[in-house]
Amino acid sequence: MIRQFSGTAAVIAAALIASSSAAVAGNPPAVTAPIAQLPPLEHYLDVASTMSFEARSARSSQSQRGAERDQAVWQLLPRLSMKAGYTRNNPEVTIDIPVGNGEFKTAIITPLDQLDGTVQLDLPLIDVGGWLRVSQASELAEAARFRTGAAIATVQKSVARAYFALVAAHALKSTAERSLTAAEGSRDVVSRRLEAGITTRVDELRATAEVERSHQVLVGADVQIKSAARQLSTLTGEDIIGVPSLMEDDLHPENAVDDASLGTLPAIMAARAERGAQDTGALSSWTTLAPTINATAIDRLTNAAGFGQNNSLALGVALSWKLDGSSVQVARAQLAAAEGAAIREAQTVQAAKDELHDAWDRVQGELARATAARAQQGAAAQAAVITRQRLEVGTATVLDSVIADRDAFAADVARIEADVNVKLARVLLRLAAGTWSTATATATTTATTTATATATTTATTTATATATTTATTTATTTATAATP
């Protein structure tokens, strides 16, 4: 937020010093290097959606949930396992088998070096619990995907606040620099008038105090700029380089908000998916009491087959049924978790509605403030013109003109603050409604250059008019004092 601050009579004298010095020296205005422009808000919003800690952490969780879903699916697919072994049998077991004609054949029952190999294929035929676990894992993976979107939306709101805080801080610094220059010029004028004997020591002390106060404001503005830039850099992972432009709003009203559009918000979608996953988990916990049926195929290779074949194949179907009282308690706990998930979903929906309506109300309030600030600016500027006209005909004092110009300057600052706040409120409204887009961003930041040019022109015109009036008054006063 831009802090408004009031000046004293010293605020206007800077323009006199600057214009008088340039006129006497005949020097052209100094040429300064171009200042880098800060990228627009949408740039940082896009960067934060990929580079912020929150977005990266959410994507990591999303990848984890996706892997857990794939794991649940693979547990229902056929599983192939292979096993090989070597056994040293001592002694070797053999048997002599008669083959006729008094001859015998030696058969090896257990060889000295036994080799075994097994290939087994397991296929779950009926596993209701496994099927439900796949469904639950899929819903959790979907919830993690929506959580990523919700995390990005949250960090984008923080980015918008940090960005506009940086804009406001730079506006404050610009104002503080002009105030400091004016205060230093006023102090020099008062010092010369004191040497000429046409002012008092008290006026010089007041001018010096105004210089020090302006120093404090400038230092505070620098601290705010560094703080806002550091926060924006932390949120986006980018170095913040450049100066933002002041922003002006056309003060168009916002359409009424509709709660029906909130159903597609990532946070609500995530809460809904998590509630569905808990419901599925509660149902899955009861299936632990149901039997499972698995099919098995085993192919065995061995050199210790004895009287059988070295290669054998076995097929089978197995039914498993486990009755455990603790499974009932697990199911009850899952039912309670599902109820809690439903409550959290309702809470998320209500919070989204409240945030949307609060954002819309904030826009309306900031529009009213901006309208009042512009009316204040117009009235203060007109008062400054009238006061200068009265000063020229001798019906107003220099102090009256100084105060009027100070009020006009403060009104300019108030208008800048109001425009920045309106822009921020509009961005937060669109983020809360889930309607932010690049086109919206372009429309939101329109007229930035125009606002900067307008503010610069206004400040230059006011300074020039003040300098002219102050120069005339000073010259008249000096001449009068010198007349015997």
Side-chain angles (χ1 to χ4, degrees), residues 182-196:
E184 291 173 341
S186 177
R187 180 187 58 187
D188 295 340
V189 171
V190 172
S191 297
R192 289 193 297 270
R193 290 169 62 88
L194 180 63
E195 293 176 357

Side-chain angles (χ1 to χ4, degrees), residues 7-46:
T8 61
V11 176
I12 308 302
L16 169 64
I17 301 301
S19 60
S20 299
S21 300
V24 173
N27 295 328
V31 178
T32 58
I35 300 177
Q37 187 75 19
L38 189 71
L41 173 62
E42 58 267 25
H43 167 76
Y44 292 107
L45 294 179
D46 291 339

Side-chain angles (χ1 to χ4, degrees), residues 190-434:
V190 172
S191 297
R192 289 193 297 270
R193 290 169 62 88
L194 180 63
E195 293 176 357
I198 56 177
T199 190
T200 64
R201 174 64 175 166
V202 174
D203 291 335
E204 184 183 36
L205 292 176
R206 287 175 176 172
T208 302
E210 179 64 18
V211 170
E212 299 306 322
R213 187 201 63 81
S214 299
H215 272 297
Q216 296 177 44
V217 175
L218 184 58
V219 170
D222 283 330
V223 171
Q224 291 183 31
I225 290 175
K226 293 178 181 178
S227 177
R230 182 166 50 251
Q231 183 181 5
L232 187 58
S233 177
T234 300
L235 291 170
T236 60
E238 279 196 351
D239 293 333
I240 308 303
I241 301 175
V243 177
S245 299
L246 300 179
M247 298 181 180
E248 184 178 6
D249 194 271
D250 58 6
L251 302 186
H252 67 273
E254 293 287 346
N255 296 328
V257 294
D258 184 10
D259 294 343
S261 62
L262 296 179
T264 58
L265 286 181
I268 294 179
M269 298 292 287
R272 186 176 300 147
E274 289 170 352
R275 189 256 302 162
Q278 288 294 347
D279 290 340
T280 305
L283 181 60
S284 174
S285 62
W286 287 105
T287 61
T288 58
L289 300 176
T292 60
I293 300 178
N294 299 314
T296 305
I298 302 176
D299 188 10
R300 183 171 180 267
L301 297 172
T302 181
N303 63 349
F307 296 101
Q309 300 293 325
N310 290 338
N311 185 10
S312 61
L313 177 65
L315 301 175
V317 177
L319 183 145
S320 301
W321 196 353
K322 181 181 179 180
L323 299 178
D324 187 358
S326 63
S327 300
V328 177
Q329 307 308 318
V330 172
R332 292 179 57 193
Q334 291 295 325
L335 287 174
E339 182 180 357
I343 295 174
R344 288 191 295 273
E345 179 190 8
Q347 182 183 18
T348 301
V349 172
Q350 187 60 48
K353 291 180 180 180
D354 292 343
E355 182 182 8
L356 178 62
H357 287 284
D358 288 345
W360 191 83
D361 291 338
R362 189 176 299 113
V363 171
Q364 306 312 307
E366 295 299 343
L367 286 175
R369 285 187 56 196
T371 302
R374 295 186 181 190
Q376 176 191 4
Q377 182 190 39
Q382 184 177 4
V385 172
I386 294 175
T387 304
R388 284 194 294 270
Q389 293 174 348
R390 293 179 56 197
L391 180 64
E392 293 175 358
V393 297
T395 59
T397 65
V398 175
L399 181 59
D400 293 334
S401 179
V402 166
I403 293 176
D405 288 328
R406 178 202 62 188
D407 292 340
F409 188 74
D412 289 339
V413 175
R415 174 172 177 175
I416 294 172
E417 176 185 3
D419 283 337
V420 169
N421 290 339
V422 169
K423 290 294 184 184
L424 174 59
R426 291 191 192 278
V427 172
L428 293 180
L429 174 61
R430 283 158 178 75
L431 289 175

Side-chain angles (χ1 to χ4, degrees), residues 74-81 120-124 127 294-295 297:
W74 276 92
Q75 288 178 347
L76 295 179
L77 298 178
R79 294 188 294 271
L80 181 66
S81 59
Q120 181 173 339
L121 181 66
D122 295 297
L123 175 61
D127 187 356
N294 299 314

Side-chain angles (χ1 to χ4, degrees), residues 81-94:
S81 59
M82 292 176 288
K83 182 180 179 181
Y86 166 79
T87 305
R88 178 73 175 182
N89 299 310
N90 191 14
E92 183 179 60
V93 179
T94 62

